[in-house]
Amino acid sequence: MIFSRMNILFFLLPKSKVAYVQDNFTLRQTVEKLRFHHYTAIPVLDHDGKYLWTISEGDILWYLKDNWAMNFKLAEDLPISNVPAGREIRPIPSTARMEDLYALAMGQNFVPVVDDKGVFIGIITRQQIMKYIFRQQEK
């Protein structure tokens, strides 16, 4: 197999190059960050840098639908931690096997990567994996 001896960190887009929000960010700050970076989902970290969950545009839209009285002024004070995630985007430890990464990436557009203490160190996108596979097939 193409991945048999690879380290998952080969695909890592480091935290310094990934937009994320902290759990004390407001709904408005999160929406603005999503828009600025053209993301449809963004990792949420705690104040120690640990990965908590991923919030998506869909999660925010469903929250607004269920709280129809919400307006952008109220969004300035609402912590993003009040908006529930619609689906779980599971992280993977940096020491995981390629097979584990592949299994997660099949169902997620990106896979958050954490160190042995749960600290977010970056993401691996499904697109990165697919590009690698395509290049290998061309060889």
Side-chain angles (χ1 to χ4, degrees):
M1 171 165 211
I2 296 173
F3 297 125
S4 60
R5 295 188 190 126
M6 290 185 66
N7 183 315
I8 71 164
L9 297 179
F10 173 79
F11 295 104
L12 185 73
L13 185 60
K15 179 180 178 180
S16 62
K17 295 186 179 195
V18 176
Y20 56 88
V21 296
Q22 291 185 326
D23 61 343
N24 64 347
F25 274 38
T26 66
L27 176 59
R28 181 176 181 161
Q29 289 172 311
T30 303
V31 168
E32 288 174 350
K33 200 156 210 184
L34 282 166
R35 183 174 186 188
F36 179 82
H37 292 283
H38 305 284
Y39 284 5
T40 57
I42 194 165
V44 180
L45 313 180
D46 71 8
H47 67 281
D48 293 323
K50 291 186 178 178
Y51 175 80
L52 298 174
W53 76 91
T54 294
I55 195 81
S56 71
E57 289 176 330
D59 299 333
I60 293 168
L61 288 172
W62 283 113
Y63 182 85
L64 293 174
K65 178 210 165 278
D66 293 341
N67 297 278
W68 58 270
M70 175 65 64
N71 63 44
F72 223 53
K73 184 67 179 152
L74 292 173
E76 292 176 356
D77 297 322
L78 181 77
I80 196 62
S81 59
N82 287 14
V83 180
R87 75 184 276 243
E88 181 183 15
I89 302 295
R90 295 191 346 241
I92 195 167
S94 59
T95 56
R97 299 173 317 155
M98 287 302 299
E99 293 81 6
D100 299 327
L101 171 64
Y102 184 67
L104 278 177
M106 286 182 10
Q108 302 174 185
N109 286 334
F110 68 89
V111 178
V113 181
V114 296
D115 68 11
D116 59 344
K117 294 180 180 164
V119 174
F120 178 76
I121 61 170
I123 65 170
I124 297 172
T125 66
R126 183 168 40 201
Q127 182 182 39
Q128 289 170 287
I129 297 167
M130 292 178 72
K131 280 181 182 178
Y132 176 79
I133 292 169
F134 183 73
R135 286 192 304 265
Q136 294 304 309
Q137 299 263 336
E138 286 184 326
K139 290 182 181 179

